[in-house]
Amino acid sequence: MPTGRLEHANISVTDPERSAALLMDMLGWKERWRGPSMKYGRSVHVGAEHDYIALYTGDHVSGGYTKGNPLNHLAFTVSDLDAAEAIVKRHGLEPFGHDDYEPGRRFYFFDWDGIEFEVVSYE
């Protein structure tokens, strides 16, 4: 039986540098790569050694997504939920949906393009 894990997700954003700064600040990630995309536009990749988020943009990316169309949300785990929430606020975004149920505490926020993120702590 094969095994696997998620290698990356590619999401379209209007300002990849702004989105990269938030993710690197909140998750302790590093920039892995940046440059032109294969067909058009450009990408900034941020993450860890094996997994990352590709933040893609181009003239055709307008933002203004709506939840569940087609993406419901992306979720990240953090070791310090309160510190992560403070970082989200410092980046000018508004956390909501604070919940504490098994298996952990969490909150949600929408980024500048309307993409919903969930931040969870199992600590």
Side-chain angles (χ1 to χ4, degrees), residues 43-107:
S43 293
V44 177
H45 295 184
V46 295
E49 183 177 333
H50 181 270
D51 44 26
Y52 65 96
I53 300 288
L55 302 163
Y56 168 72
T57 197
D59 292 339
H60 60 290
V61 176
S62 61
Y65 303 104
T66 58
K67 179 180 168 62
N69 186 21
L71 176 70
N72 193 331
H73 65 258
L74 294 173
F76 301 107
T77 57
V78 296
S79 58
D80 187 333
L81 192 67
D82 296 330
E85 183 172 4
I87 289 166
V88 167
K89 289 178 179 178
R90 190 168 68 238
H91 282 264
L93 301 169
E94 186 62 36
F96 67 91
H98 298 79
D99 291 309
D100 187 357
Y101 57 83
E102 286 298 324
R105 292 188 320 130
R106 67 203 70 237
F107 69 87

Side-chain angles (χ1 to χ4, degrees), residues 9-38:
N10 186 324
I11 59 175
S12 296
V13 298
T14 53
D15 186 340
E17 286 76 17
R18 175 178 63 186
S19 297
L22 169 66
L23 295 176
M24 290 187 300
D25 200 15
M26 182 175 71
L27 302 170
W29 284 359
K30 305 285 187 237
E31 183 175 310
R32 293 173 36 122
W33 180 85
R34 71 170 48 226
S37 295
M38 290 185 66

